[in-house]
Amino acid sequence: MERFVYSCMRFSKWIPVMFIAAVIGWSYYAYIVHLCLYHVEEILKKIIYIFLYHIFLIMLLWSYYQTIFTPMKKPTSEFYFKETDIYQMQISESEMTKKTLIDKKAKDLPILTRTSSGNARYCDRCRCIKPDRAHHCSICETCVLKMDHHCPWVNNCVGFSNYKFFILFLFYAVLYSIYICATSLEYFIKFWDQIQTFQAGKFHLLLLFFVSIMFGISVSTLLAYHIYLSSKNCTTLESFRAPIFINTGLEDKDGFNLSTSENLKQIFGTNWRKALIPIFTR
């Protein structure tokens, strides 16, 4: 019974991803079949529309795939406690002893941040010292490096390993929506005037136009927000709760801010020719 419940819970996490995939699949059918093949009459125009559409679609799906299936980056082995230290903390009744062991372990690690009480950031579940900007995800059940947030639409944590892919997914989703709106506007106006005569093909195109506008607006606001955060070298979690630094003992949202160009290089890499390609860059 427990295995069945666990399997159902795992399956339910994929429902938002399947919904996005279904919307993209339907948009392909509506755009290629009902718009390009049935209603665009000029051959050259039809070829250009289909060719450009597939470029945007490929980049969108590539970015989406990378965001979903890129493994999240966990803390390296040096941040985890040995079994002997874990046993000592478990048998110790003194909270001070536990803090002493944690601080002793953290002393030799390259970390700049602390908790509000001044202690090292320790994860009870993973039994490790949290590296700077790392947080424990209760859904993924692990600590994630430079965790931004857990996104149900990709069924994955967005963090160090896939943040570039996530931004590119938003970027190409906006371009995809704009392209569909721009190329279908002429036919939307034409069919809107004939709305009293119902036809399935026209209904698909009218709905495609509305969905692409709503999708484009909602995603573009999210994209703008993450571009802003990227320019400040700040994560979504840090924008709500600023990290506390050892040297000052104070919260500082700009503590990791270098400069706009350097901040963007940390995400998109130093080779700008590869910045818009969903591959990992340094």
Side-chain angles (χ1 to χ4, degrees):
M1 185 64 181
E2 289 183 3
R3 290 185 63 183
F4 175 74
V5 173
Y6 177 72
S7 298
C8 290
M9 289 179 64
R10 287 193 65 184
F11 175 78
S12 66
K13 293 177 182 179
W14 287 100
I15 292 176
V17 176
M18 291 188 286
F19 175 76
I20 294 294
V23 170
I24 295 174
W26 165 78
S27 68
Y28 184 92
Y29 169 74
Y31 188 87
I32 296 297
V33 176
H34 287 286
L35 178 64
C36 294
L37 298 184
Y38 288 172
H39 292 97
V40 177
E41 297 177 354
E42 300 91 334
I43 298 298
L44 180 60
K45 189 176 183 181
K46 186 178 297 189
I47 293 172
I48 292 173
Y49 275 18
I50 293 175
F51 175 74
L52 292 177
Y53 173 85
H54 279 92
I55 291 177
F56 290 120
L57 178 66
I58 289 170
M59 298 306 294
L60 171 63
L61 293 178
W62 188 4
S63 303
Y64 194 40
Y65 177 88
Q66 290 284 69
T67 308
I68 295 171
F69 294 106
T70 298
M72 65 196 82
K73 199 74 172 175
K74 302 177 184 179
T76 53
S77 58
E78 63 192 276
F79 287 88
Y80 289 86
F81 278 83
K82 296 178 181 179
E83 290 297 328
T84 53
D85 294 328
I86 294 170
Y87 178 72
Q88 271 189 289
M89 286 193 287
Q90 287 175 338
I91 63 173
S92 175
E93 297 180 359
S94 170
E95 198 66 32
M96 186 60 67
T97 303
K98 293 180 182 179
K99 289 181 179 179
T100 302
L101 287 169
I102 292 171
D103 288 337
K104 182 181 177 182
K105 174 75 173 177
K107 183 179 64 175
D108 301 321
L109 294 174
I111 51 178
L112 302 173
T113 56
R114 284 287 191 270
T115 63
S116 57
S117 59
N119 301 114
R121 299 167 63 242
Y122 174 71
C123 179
D124 288 309
R125 294 187 179 182
C126 295
R127 296 174 176 177
C128 72
I129 302 293
K130 294 179 185 178
D132 293 331
R133 318 188 80 176
H135 296 274
H136 184 88
C137 177
S138 58
I139 299 173
C140 297
E141 298 180 344
T142 188
C143 285
V144 181
L145 290 187
K146 199 183 177 183
M147 180 178 172
D148 188 87
H149 68 288
H150 183 91
C151 181
W153 298 106
V154 301
N155 190 28
N156 199 2
C157 270
V158 176
F160 174 79
S161 60
N162 64 350
Y163 190 59
K164 173 187 175 181
F165 308 143
F166 176 72
I167 292 180
L168 290 181
F169 164 62
L170 298 179
F171 175 70
Y172 286 116
V174 171
L175 290 185
Y176 182 78
S177 301
I178 291 173
Y179 179 77
I180 289 177
C181 286
T183 53
S184 63
L185 178 60
E186 171 190 350
Y187 302 91
F188 170 81
I189 295 172
K190 178 182 176 181
F191 297 149
W192 186 260
D193 293 335
Q194 304 169 2
I195 196 170
Q196 65 275 9
T197 58
F198 176 81
Q199 291 181 9
K202 293 179 180 179
F203 173 77
H204 277 292
L205 292 178
L206 293 172
L207 185 59
L208 177 66
F209 185 81
F210 281 120
V211 170
S212 59
I213 284 181
M214 291 186 292
F215 189 67
I217 292 174
S218 60
V219 175
S220 62
T221 55
L222 187 59
L223 174 63
Y225 177 63
H226 278 281
I227 289 175
Y228 167 76
L229 290 179
S230 300
S231 68
K232 298 291 185 181
N233 202 355
C234 181
T235 65
T236 300
L237 292 175
E238 290 167 354
S239 69
F240 289 102
R241 180 183 289 181
I244 300 173
F245 287 84
I246 298 173
N247 57 349
T248 62
L250 301 173
E251 293 184 353
D252 187 2
K253 284 187 178 182
D254 293 322
F256 296 107
N257 189 2
L258 303 175
S259 67
T260 300
S261 61
E262 290 300 319
N263 294 339
L264 294 177
K265 283 178 184 178
Q266 287 193 0
I267 299 169
F268 297 100
T270 55
N271 189 342
W272 293 106
R273 288 175 294 181
K274 298 179 181 179
L276 297 180
I277 303 174
I279 57 176
F280 190 80
T281 48
R282 296 182 181 276

